PDB file of all heavy atoms in Angstrom:
ATOM      1  N   THR A 787    -150.575 -26.078 -24.048  1.00 96.00           N
ATOM      2  CA  THR A 787    -150.031 -27.334 -24.591  1.00 96.00           C
ATOM      3  C   THR A 787    -149.753 -27.222 -26.088  1.00 96.00           C
ATOM      4  O   THR A 787    -148.890 -27.942 -26.606  1.00 96.00           O
ATOM      5  CB  THR A 787    -150.989 -28.506 -24.331  1.00 96.00           C
ATOM      6  OG1 THR A 787    -152.303 -28.197 -24.850  1.00 96.00           O
ATOM      7  CG2 THR A 787    -151.105 -28.799 -22.839  1.00 96.00           C
ATOM      8  N   ARG A 788    -150.444 -26.326 -26.762  1.00 95.00           N
ATOM      9  CA  ARG A 788    -150.146 -26.109 -28.177  1.00 95.00           C
ATOM     10  C   ARG A 788    -148.876 -25.275 -28.358  1.00 95.00           C
ATOM     11  O   ARG A 788    -148.214 -25.366 -29.396  1.00 95.00           O
ATOM     12  CB  ARG A 788    -151.319 -25.401 -28.859  1.00 95.00           C
ATOM     13  CG  ARG A 788    -152.568 -26.284 -28.983  1.00 95.00           C
ATOM     14  CD  ARG A 788    -153.724 -25.512 -29.563  1.00 95.00           C
ATOM     15  NE  ARG A 788    -154.978 -26.263 -29.447  1.00 95.00           N
ATOM     16  CZ  ARG A 788    -156.164 -25.731 -29.216  1.00 95.00           C
ATOM     17  NH1 ARG A 788    -156.259 -24.407 -29.084  1.00 95.00           N
ATOM     18  NH2 ARG A 788    -157.234 -26.480 -29.128  1.00 95.00           N
ATOM     19  N   LEU A 789    -148.558 -24.467 -27.351  1.00 96.00           N
ATOM     20  CA  LEU A 789    -147.329 -23.671 -27.423  1.00 96.00           C
ATOM     21  C   LEU A 789    -146.091 -24.502 -27.082  1.00 96.00           C
ATOM     22  O   LEU A 789    -145.041 -24.356 -27.701  1.00 96.00           O
ATOM     23  CB  LEU A 789    -147.402 -22.492 -26.439  1.00 96.00           C
ATOM     24  CG  LEU A 789    -148.373 -21.358 -26.738  1.00 96.00           C
ATOM     25  CD1 LEU A 789    -148.375 -20.367 -25.575  1.00 96.00           C
ATOM     26  CD2 LEU A 789    -147.993 -20.642 -28.022  1.00 96.00           C
ATOM     27  N   LEU A 790    -146.227 -25.380 -26.074  1.00 96.00           N
ATOM     28  CA  LEU A 790    -145.074 -26.122 -25.538  1.00 96.00           C
ATOM     29  C   LEU A 790    -145.090 -27.554 -26.076  1.00 96.00           C
ATOM     30  O   LEU A 790    -145.479 -28.491 -25.386  1.00 96.00           O
ATOM     31  CB  LEU A 790    -145.113 -26.119 -24.009  1.00 96.00           C
ATOM     32  CG  LEU A 790    -145.148 -24.745 -23.338  1.00 96.00           C
ATOM     33  CD1 LEU A 790    -145.297 -24.880 -21.825  1.00 96.00           C
ATOM     34  CD2 LEU A 790    -143.900 -23.935 -23.667  1.00 96.00           C
ATOM     35  N   THR A 791    -144.629 -27.717 -27.299  1.00 95.00           N
ATOM     36  CA  THR A 791    -144.698 -29.030 -27.950  1.00 95.00           C
ATOM     37  C   THR A 791    -143.365 -29.767 -27.949  1.00 95.00           C
ATOM     38  O   THR A 791    -143.329 -30.957 -28.255  1.00 95.00           O
ATOM     39  CB  THR A 791    -145.176 -28.868 -29.408  1.00 95.00           C
ATOM     40  OG1 THR A 791    -144.289 -27.961 -30.080  1.00 95.00           O
ATOM     41  CG2 THR A 791    -146.593 -28.325 -29.453  1.00 95.00           C
ATOM     42  N   ASN A 792    -142.275 -29.092 -27.627  1.00 95.00           N
ATOM     43  CA  ASN A 792    -140.971 -29.752 -27.593  1.00 95.00           C
ATOM     44  C   ASN A 792    -140.075 -29.024 -26.599  1.00 95.00           C
ATOM     45  O   ASN A 792    -140.417 -27.946 -26.111  1.00 95.00           O
ATOM     46  CB  ASN A 792    -140.335 -29.791 -28.994  1.00 95.00           C
ATOM     47  CG  ASN A 792    -140.263 -28.413 -29.630  1.00 95.00           C
ATOM     48  OD1 ASN A 792    -139.715 -27.475 -29.033  1.00 95.00           O
ATOM     49  ND2 ASN A 792    -140.814 -28.269 -30.831  1.00 95.00           N
ATOM     50  N   ILE A 793    -138.923 -29.618 -26.315  1.00 95.00           N
ATOM     51  CA  ILE A 793    -138.041 -29.053 -25.289  1.00 95.00           C
ATOM     52  C   ILE A 793    -137.524 -27.683 -25.696  1.00 95.00           C
ATOM     53  O   ILE A 793    -137.250 -26.830 -24.842  1.00 95.00           O
ATOM     54  CB  ILE A 793    -136.882 -30.034 -24.987  1.00 95.00           C
ATOM     55  CG1 ILE A 793    -136.168 -29.638 -23.691  1.00 95.00           C
ATOM     56  CG2 ILE A 793    -135.895 -30.081 -26.144  1.00 95.00           C
ATOM     57  CD1 ILE A 793    -136.995 -29.760 -22.445  1.00 95.00           C
ATOM     58  N   GLN A 794    -137.395 -27.442 -26.986  1.00 96.00           N
ATOM     59  CA  GLN A 794    -136.934 -26.133 -27.452  1.00 96.00           C
ATOM     60  C   GLN A 794    -137.938 -25.045 -27.087  1.00 96.00           C
ATOM     61  O   GLN A 794    -137.555 -23.931 -26.711  1.00 96.00           O
ATOM     62  CB  GLN A 794    -136.696 -26.152 -28.962  1.00 96.00           C
ATOM     63  CG  GLN A 794    -135.496 -26.978 -29.409  1.00 96.00           C
ATOM     64  CD  GLN A 794    -135.763 -28.482 -29.408  1.00 96.00           C
ATOM     65  OE1 GLN A 794    -136.926 -28.921 -29.421  1.00 96.00           O
ATOM     66  NE2 GLN A 794    -134.704 -29.270 -29.409  1.00 96.00           N
ATOM     67  N   GLU A 795    -139.230 -25.352 -27.192  1.00 96.00           N
ATOM     68  CA  GLU A 795    -140.255 -24.372 -26.818  1.00 96.00           C
ATOM     69  C   GLU A 795    -140.251 -24.119 -25.311  1.00 96.00           C
ATOM     70  O   GLU A 795    -140.445 -22.997 -24.856  1.00 96.00           O
ATOM     71  CB  GLU A 795    -141.638 -24.848 -27.278  1.00 96.00           C
ATOM     72  CG  GLU A 795    -141.852 -24.816 -28.787  1.00 96.00           C
ATOM     73  CD  GLU A 795    -141.845 -23.389 -29.331  1.00 96.00           C
ATOM     74  OE1 GLU A 795    -142.056 -22.444 -28.546  1.00 96.00           O
ATOM     75  OE2 GLU A 795    -141.626 -23.230 -30.546  1.00 96.00           O
ATOM     76  N   PHE A 796    -140.042 -25.176 -24.536  1.00 96.00           N
ATOM     77  CA  PHE A 796    -139.917 -24.989 -23.083  1.00 96.00           C
ATOM     78  C   PHE A 796    -138.739 -24.075 -22.754  1.00 96.00           C
ATOM     79  O   PHE A 796    -138.820 -23.216 -21.879  1.00 96.00           O
ATOM     80  CB  PHE A 796    -139.731 -26.340 -22.385  1.00 96.00           C
ATOM     81  CG  PHE A 796    -141.005 -27.057 -22.075  1.00 96.00           C
ATOM     82  CD1 PHE A 796    -141.597 -27.893 -23.004  1.00 96.00           C
ATOM     83  CD2 PHE A 796    -141.630 -26.896 -20.844  1.00 96.00           C
ATOM     84  CE1 PHE A 796    -142.768 -28.563 -22.721  1.00 96.00           C
ATOM     85  CE2 PHE A 796    -142.814 -27.558 -20.543  1.00 96.00           C
ATOM     86  CZ  PHE A 796    -143.388 -28.397 -21.493  1.00 96.00           C
ATOM     87  N   THR A 797    -137.631 -24.281 -23.463  1.00 96.00           N
ATOM     88  CA  THR A 797    -136.440 -23.477 -23.216  1.00 96.00           C
ATOM     89  C   THR A 797    -136.665 -22.020 -23.612  1.00 96.00           C
ATOM     90  O   THR A 797    -136.183 -21.100 -22.940  1.00 96.00           O
ATOM     91  CB  THR A 797    -135.248 -24.061 -24.005  1.00 96.00           C
ATOM     92  OG1 THR A 797    -135.052 -25.425 -23.593  1.00 96.00           O
ATOM     93  CG2 THR A 797    -133.980 -23.266 -23.753  1.00 96.00           C
ATOM     94  N   ALA A 798    -137.412 -21.824 -24.700  1.00 96.00           N
ATOM     95  CA  ALA A 798    -137.663 -20.466 -25.189  1.00 96.00           C
ATOM     96  C   ALA A 798    -138.731 -19.746 -24.366  1.00 96.00           C
ATOM     97  O   ALA A 798    -138.747 -18.515 -24.316  1.00 96.00           O
ATOM     98  CB  ALA A 798    -138.094 -20.517 -26.656  1.00 96.00           C
ATOM     99  N   ARG A 799    -139.637 -20.492 -23.713  1.00 96.00           N
ATOM    100  CA  ARG A 799    -140.755 -19.888 -22.964  1.00 96.00           C
ATOM    101  C   ARG A 799    -140.785 -20.415 -21.517  1.00 96.00           C
ATOM    102  O   ARG A 799    -141.802 -20.944 -21.066  1.00 96.00           O
ATOM    103  CB  ARG A 799    -142.089 -20.203 -23.634  1.00 96.00           C
ATOM    104  CG  ARG A 799    -142.186 -19.808 -25.105  1.00 96.00           C
ATOM    105  CD  ARG A 799    -143.489 -20.356 -25.689  1.00 96.00           C
ATOM    106  NE  ARG A 799    -143.626 -20.152 -27.115  1.00 96.00           N
ATOM    107  CZ  ARG A 799    -144.267 -19.136 -27.685  1.00 96.00           C
ATOM    108  NH1 ARG A 799    -144.813 -18.211 -26.919  1.00 96.00           N
ATOM    109  NH2 ARG A 799    -144.362 -19.035 -28.993  1.00 96.00           N
ATOM    110  N   PRO A 800    -139.697 -20.283 -20.765  1.00 96.00           N
ATOM    111  CA  PRO A 800    -139.687 -20.879 -19.422  1.00 96.00           C
ATOM    112  C   PRO A 800    -140.693 -20.260 -18.468  1.00 96.00           C
ATOM    113  O   PRO A 800    -141.215 -20.945 -17.584  1.00 96.00           O
ATOM    114  CB  PRO A 800    -138.249 -20.639 -18.943  1.00 96.00           C
ATOM    115  CG  PRO A 800    -137.795 -19.441 -19.723  1.00 96.00           C
ATOM    116  CD  PRO A 800    -138.447 -19.567 -21.065  1.00 96.00           C
ATOM    117  N   ASP A 801    -140.990 -18.959 -18.630  1.00 96.00           N
ATOM    118  CA  ASP A 801    -141.950 -18.316 -17.725  1.00 96.00           C
ATOM    119  C   ASP A 801    -143.355 -18.882 -17.920  1.00 96.00           C
ATOM    120  O   ASP A 801    -144.106 -19.055 -16.955  1.00 96.00           O
ATOM    121  CB  ASP A 801    -141.951 -16.803 -17.954  1.00 96.00           C
ATOM    122  CG  ASP A 801    -140.652 -16.156 -17.502  1.00 96.00           C
ATOM    123  OD1 ASP A 801    -139.934 -16.784 -16.706  1.00 96.00           O
ATOM    124  OD2 ASP A 801    -140.346 -15.050 -17.968  1.00 96.00           O
ATOM    125  N   ILE A 802    -143.711 -19.138 -19.173  1.00 97.00           N
ATOM    126  CA  ILE A 802    -145.020 -19.745 -19.434  1.00 97.00           C
ATOM    127  C   ILE A 802    -145.079 -21.138 -18.826  1.00 97.00           C
ATOM    128  O   ILE A 802    -146.072 -21.517 -18.187  1.00 97.00           O
ATOM    129  CB  ILE A 802    -145.302 -19.793 -20.952  1.00 97.00           C
ATOM    130  CG1 ILE A 802    -145.636 -18.385 -21.460  1.00 97.00           C
ATOM    131  CG2 ILE A 802    -146.447 -20.749 -21.270  1.00 97.00           C
ATOM    132  CD1 ILE A 802    -145.969 -18.320 -22.931  1.00 97.00           C
ATOM    133  N   ALA A 803    -144.002 -21.928 -19.013  1.00 97.00           N
ATOM    134  CA  ALA A 803    -143.968 -23.273 -18.435  1.00 97.00           C
ATOM    135  C   ALA A 803    -144.077 -23.215 -16.916  1.00 97.00           C
ATOM    136  O   ALA A 803    -144.854 -23.965 -16.305  1.00 97.00           O
ATOM    137  CB  ALA A 803    -142.680 -23.975 -18.854  1.00 97.00           C
ATOM    138  N   ASP A 804    -143.326 -22.331 -16.314  1.00 97.00           N
ATOM    139  CA  ASP A 804    -143.330 -22.188 -14.854  1.00 97.00           C
ATOM    140  C   ASP A 804    -144.737 -21.872 -14.347  1.00 97.00           C
ATOM    141  O   ASP A 804    -145.286 -22.577 -13.484  1.00 97.00           O
ATOM    142  CB  ASP A 804    -142.347 -21.086 -14.468  1.00 97.00           C
ATOM    143  CG  ASP A 804    -142.267 -20.856 -12.969  1.00 97.00           C
ATOM    144  OD1 ASP A 804    -142.648 -21.751 -12.202  1.00 97.00           O
ATOM    145  OD2 ASP A 804    -141.811 -19.768 -12.568  1.00 97.00           O
ATOM    146  N   ASP A 805    -145.348 -20.816 -14.891  1.00 97.00           N
ATOM    147  CA  ASP A 805    -146.664 -20.392 -14.403  1.00 97.00           C
ATOM    148  C   ASP A 805    -147.767 -21.368 -14.788  1.00 97.00           C
ATOM    149  O   ASP A 805    -148.748 -21.524 -14.045  1.00 97.00           O
ATOM    150  CB  ASP A 805    -146.979 -18.991 -14.930  1.00 97.00           C
ATOM    151  CG  ASP A 805    -146.128 -17.917 -14.268  1.00 97.00           C
ATOM    152  OD1 ASP A 805    -145.938 -17.994 -13.045  1.00 97.00           O
ATOM    153  OD2 ASP A 805    -145.629 -17.026 -14.971  1.00 97.00           O
ATOM    154  N   CYS A 806    -147.620 -22.040 -15.926  1.00 97.00           N
ATOM    155  CA  CYS A 806    -148.626 -23.030 -16.329  1.00 97.00           C
ATOM    156  C   CYS A 806    -148.704 -24.169 -15.321  1.00 97.00           C
ATOM    157  O   CYS A 806    -149.796 -24.546 -14.882  1.00 97.00           O
ATOM    158  CB  CYS A 806    -148.285 -23.574 -17.720  1.00 97.00           C
ATOM    159  SG  CYS A 806    -149.250 -25.029 -18.191  1.00 97.00           S
ATOM    160  N   PHE A 807    -147.558 -24.711 -14.932  1.00 97.00           N
ATOM    161  CA  PHE A 807    -147.593 -25.877 -14.041  1.00 97.00           C
ATOM    162  C   PHE A 807    -147.772 -25.490 -12.579  1.00 97.00           C
ATOM    163  O   PHE A 807    -148.232 -26.315 -11.783  1.00 97.00           O
ATOM    164  CB  PHE A 807    -146.353 -26.744 -14.289  1.00 97.00           C
ATOM    165  CG  PHE A 807    -146.418 -27.440 -15.628  1.00 97.00           C
ATOM    166  CD1 PHE A 807    -145.739 -26.942 -16.729  1.00 97.00           C
ATOM    167  CD2 PHE A 807    -147.236 -28.545 -15.794  1.00 97.00           C
ATOM    168  CE1 PHE A 807    -145.844 -27.551 -17.968  1.00 97.00           C
ATOM    169  CE2 PHE A 807    -147.344 -29.167 -17.034  1.00 97.00           C
ATOM    170  CZ  PHE A 807    -146.653 -28.675 -18.126  1.00 97.00           C
ATOM    171  N   LEU A 808    -147.467 -24.245 -12.230  1.00 97.00           N
ATOM    172  CA  LEU A 808    -147.902 -23.751 -10.916  1.00 97.00           C
ATOM    173  C   LEU A 808    -149.423 -23.698 -10.850  1.00 97.00           C
ATOM    174  O   LEU A 808    -150.041 -24.078  -9.847  1.00 97.00           O
ATOM    175  CB  LEU A 808    -147.316 -22.354 -10.669  1.00 97.00           C
ATOM    176  CG  LEU A 808    -145.838 -22.273 -10.286  1.00 97.00           C
ATOM    177  CD1 LEU A 808    -145.393 -20.813 -10.211  1.00 97.00           C
ATOM    178  CD2 LEU A 808    -145.573 -22.960  -8.954  1.00 97.00           C
ATOM    179  N   LEU A 809    -150.041 -23.224 -11.934  1.00 97.00           N
ATOM    180  CA  LEU A 809    -151.506 -23.202 -12.022  1.00 97.00           C
ATOM    181  C   LEU A 809    -152.064 -24.610 -11.967  1.00 97.00           C
ATOM    182  O   LEU A 809    -153.065 -24.872 -11.276  1.00 97.00           O
ATOM    183  CB  LEU A 809    -151.930 -22.497 -13.314  1.00 97.00           C
ATOM    184  CG  LEU A 809    -153.419 -22.542 -13.671  1.00 97.00           C
ATOM    185  CD1 LEU A 809    -154.265 -21.889 -12.575  1.00 97.00           C
ATOM    186  CD2 LEU A 809    -153.667 -21.865 -15.017  1.00 97.00           C
TER     187      LEU A 809
END
Side-chain angles (χ1 to χ4, degrees):
T787 55
R788 291 176 191 144
L789 290 175
L790 303 175
T791 56
N792 54 54
I793 194 66
Q794 290 77 19
E795 289 294 340
F796 275 87
T797 302
R799 305 172 186 265
D801 291 341
I802 286 182
D804 180 20
D805 289 318
C806 168
F807 290 99
L808 284 175
L809 172 60

